[in-house]
Amino acid sequence: MLSLPLAPDAELTSLEPWQADEFAEHIDRHREHLEPWIPLAHTVTDTESARELLQRYAERQANGAGRLLGIRQHGELVGAILFPQFDPAAGNCELGVWLAPHAQGHGLITKAAQLMIDWAFEVRGMHRIEWITMPANERSKAVAKRLGMTLDGVMRESYLFGGRRHDAEIWSLLVTDPRPWN
Ligand SMILES: CC(C)(COP(=O)(O)OP(=O)(O)OC[C@H]1O[C@@H](n2cnc3c(N)ncnc32)[C@H](O)[C@@H]1OP(=O)(O)O)[C@@H](O)C(=O)NCCC(=O)NCCS
C-alpha cells in the first residue's frame, strides 16, 4: 500500500473502494465537525455511498483526472486530501482536505498539501492550484495562507450543499509563485 510519511506518527496513504466500511465509519464519527464545511459529509452516509465516492475517485485517478488519499495517525484514518478537479490539459486543479478534530493542530494537512502541490506542479505540469473555502472557515484559510496562496476573490452564493447556498472564497497558488516550504 502507498505510504508517505507526514510526521513520525502519521502518513499519507492510498484509500480505495475496498476500504469503504472504514471510510464510512470515519465520516460518520466526525460528521458533526465536517458538515458545516465539506459537501461530502452530507452525501457519504453509509458504506454504499462511501464505496461510490471511493470508486469515483479510483476512476478519476485511473483517468489522470483526480485523486484522493487518506491520512493516518497511529494507523487510524483521521482525514484525507484530494483533487476534486484535476485538468492536466488546462493546467488547473483544486485541492480539498479534512481532518478529524483530534488530528488537527499538528501540521498534517500543511505537510500533505505540500506533497500534493509539489507533485501537481513538478510531476504533472499543473499551472494553477485552487483552494475553495467558506469565508468563516478560519482553519482552512490559515492553511491556504501557510501554503503561500493568494485570495483571488469571493464567488457569491456559489457553493450549494446541505440545502443552502454559501459564499465561497477562492484561493490559488501558481507554479510561478514562491512556495514557502521550498
Ligand atoms: C481545515 C483543516 C483541515 C485544518 O486542519 P489543521 O490541523 O488546522 O491544519 P494543519 O494540519 O496544517 O495544522 C496546522 C496547525 O498545526 C500547527 N503545526 C504544528 N506543527 C506544524 C508544522 N510542522 N507545520 C505547520 N503547522 C504546524 C500549526 O501551528 C497550526 O496550529 P494552530 O491550529 O494552533 O494554529 C481542519 O480544521 C478541518 O478538517 N476542518 C473541517 C473540514 C474543513 O474545513 N476542510 C477544509 C474545507 S475548505
Side-chain angles (χ1 to χ4, degrees), residues 49-182:
S49 49
R51 195 186 322 279
E52 274 169 25
L53 184 125
L54 294 177
Q55 184 64 38
R56 195 156 66 242
Y57 273 89
E59 285 164 19
R60 286 183 187 178
Q61 181 170 331
N63 295 329
R67 175 167 289 231
L68 184 150
L69 295 171
I71 295 173
R72 291 185 184 274
Q73 193 177 36
H74 304 294
E76 178 196 347
L77 182 64
V78 292
I81 185 159
L82 63 158
F83 285 120
Q85 307 291 336
F86 197 87
D87 182 347
N92 297 327
C93 60
E94 179 196 340
L95 199 55
V97 296
W98 74 85
L99 270 185
H102 63 280
Q104 294 179 128
H106 304 288
L108 298 183
I109 285 296
T110 298
K111 177 70 182 170
Q114 291 168 353
L115 292 169
M116 297 289 268
I117 290 169
D118 284 342
W119 178 80
F121 283 150
E122 285 158 27
V123 181
R124 298 304 314 278
M126 285 288 164
H127 185 78
R128 172 184 162 89
I129 298 177
E130 296 181 347
W131 182 276
I132 297 173
T133 184
M134 279 190 259
N137 195 340
E138 296 300 338
R139 286 195 92 102
S140 171
K141 294 196 297 185
V143 177
K145 287 179 200 162
R146 220 177 280 121
L147 294 170
M149 292 186 164
T150 297
L151 176 60
D152 291 339
V154 179
M155 300 183 290
R156 293 181 306 144
E157 300 189 2
S158 64
Y159 212 9
L160 176 62
F161 73 88
R164 285 185 50 212
R165 288 196 160 272
H166 306 265
D167 287 352
E169 284 187 2
I170 182 157
W171 293 71
S172 67
L173 189 70
L174 304 181
V175 68
T176 46
D177 288 336
R179 277 173 254 165
W181 62 97
N182 279 341

